[in-house]
Amino acid sequence: MLINSLGFRTDLMLLALQGSAIEEHDDYLAVRSPHNPDFWWGNFLLLRADPSSTSVLHWEEAFTREFPTASHRAFGVDGARGGTAAFAEFAAAGYDVEASVVMTATAVHAPPHPNRDATYRRLDLADPLDREAAIDLRMANAPTREPTGHRRFLGESMTSMAALQEKGAGSWFGAFLDGRMVSGMGLFSDGHGLARFQSVDTHPEARGRGLAGTLVHYVSTYGLTALGATTLVMVADPDYHAIRIYRSVGFENTETQVAIELAP
C-alpha cells in the first residue's frame, strides 16, 4: 500500500510490527490494534483524500462503521500538509487538529555540548527494573494524566516494545545519573531502511544538561549501524523546546504530519 506521509508510514510500520491490522478502503485505511484497544493512535483512520473536501459527518460515519464501540475518534491525514487551517470544520466540531514536524537524518554528529557525566545504555525491557525505570520517566513527563490509567497504558506500550526488542527490531535506551534514568527513548525498524524514534523523554529536573542530545546521537548511531537504517525519522511538536535538540545533532524538517482527534 502506498502511504505518502513519512510520519504515518513509520507509524504504520511500527504498528504492523506489533501485530496491528491495516485494512485498505477507497479513501482511507482502517488501522486496528485489538491487543491495545485503548490506544487511540493504534485504532484510527488514515485518510487518503483531502478530508477538508468532504464533510466531517462523512468521516465520523466511516469511523463509527469501522469502530462501532470506540469512545474516541482519530483521523490521520496522508501526505505532507502545510498546517491546520484547511481543517477548520473539524476544529469547529470540537476536534483537536495538530500539525507535527517530521524530521529526518541520514547521518548525525555529536551535539555541541555533550553530557559526559551520564551512563548511556540499551535497556532490557524484560528486566522489571529497566522496564519500571522507563515507565517512571514517562510518567514524570505526563503530570496532567490520570495516573492509574496512564501507567497501565504505558505498561501495555512497554510490553509491545519489549516484544519488538526481543525480535531484533530495535531497542529502548536510557541515560542514567547516579543509577537513576533521567532521559530515554526507543528506536525501531522493520529492516527496510527507515527507523522511527519513540517517546523521547528527559526528566523535568534534568533538562538543560545535554542529556537528550547526547542520547539521541548515541541512539542514532545505533540505528545507522546495528539496525542498518538509511533514514532516521523523528516526529516532534514544532513549538516544543526539544526540537532544537534534534536539529543540533543533524535532523532536519522534512514534512508536516496532521492528526485530528476527539477525546471521549
Side-chain angles (χ1 to χ4, degrees), residues 47-251:
L47 310 183
R48 293 189 181 279
D50 181 351
S52 63
S53 64
T54 308
S55 71
V56 170
L57 180 60
H58 168 82
W59 297 117
E60 289 180 331
E61 289 173 346
F63 191 90
T64 301
R65 186 166 59 249
E66 300 292 343
F67 303 99
T69 63
S71 57
H72 74 286
R73 294 194 186 105
F75 305 95
V77 183
D78 193 15
R81 305 282 170 167
T84 61
F87 311 107
E89 186 181 352
F90 279 94
Y95 285 79
D96 289 324
V97 182
E98 299 181 355
S100 299
V101 177
V102 179
M103 309 182 75
T104 60
T106 56
V108 292
H109 52 77
H113 305 290
N115 183 297
R116 305 189 191 283
D117 297 325
T119 298
Y120 304 90
R121 67 172 176 85
R122 173 183 179 272
L123 271 61
D124 178 3
L125 294 180
D127 181 331
L129 293 178
D130 274 1
R131 176 189 172 94
E132 287 305 308
I135 292 174
D136 286 344
L137 176 61
R138 295 185 66 184
M139 287 291 294
N141 281 280
T144 63
R145 298 292 186 94
E146 190 281 312
T148 301
H150 192 55
R151 179 171 283 275
R152 181 174 61 250
F153 166 75
L154 293 178
E156 293 169 349
S157 175
M158 281 298 163
T159 296
S160 296
M161 297 299 105
L164 295 188
Q165 188 164 308
E166 178 66 24
K167 64 173 67 171
S171 293
W172 209 270
F173 296 84
F176 292 81
L177 286 173
D178 299 322
R180 181 190 183 198
M181 185 172 169
V182 290
S183 189
M185 63 197 67
L187 183 67
F188 297 91
S189 173
D190 65 357
H192 291 100
L194 296 174
R196 172 71 180 269
F197 276 85
Q198 294 284 280
S199 301
V200 179
D201 288 300
T202 299
H203 196 284
E205 297 174 0
R207 291 175 183 163
R209 300 169 65 176
L211 291 158
T214 308
L215 186 58
V216 168
H217 176 247
Y218 180 89
V219 176
S220 295
T221 302
Y222 157 83
L224 294 169
T225 55
L227 286 183
T230 55
T231 302
L232 306 173
V233 181
M234 177 91 69
V235 177
D237 181 339
D239 299 320
Y240 191 52
H241 67 86
I243 200 166
R244 72 179 188 275
I245 295 172
Y246 313 142
R247 293 192 182 111
S248 76
V249 299
F251 282 80

Side-chain angles (χ1 to χ4, degrees), residues 8 11 15 31 33 38-45 72-76 258-261:
F8 281 114
D11 280 333
L15 288 167
V31 184
S33 300
D38 296 329
F39 180 29
W40 297 358
W41 290 103
N43 299 276
F44 71 100
L45 300 186
H72 74 286
R73 294 194 186 105
F75 305 95
V258 174
I260 304 168
E261 65 182 26

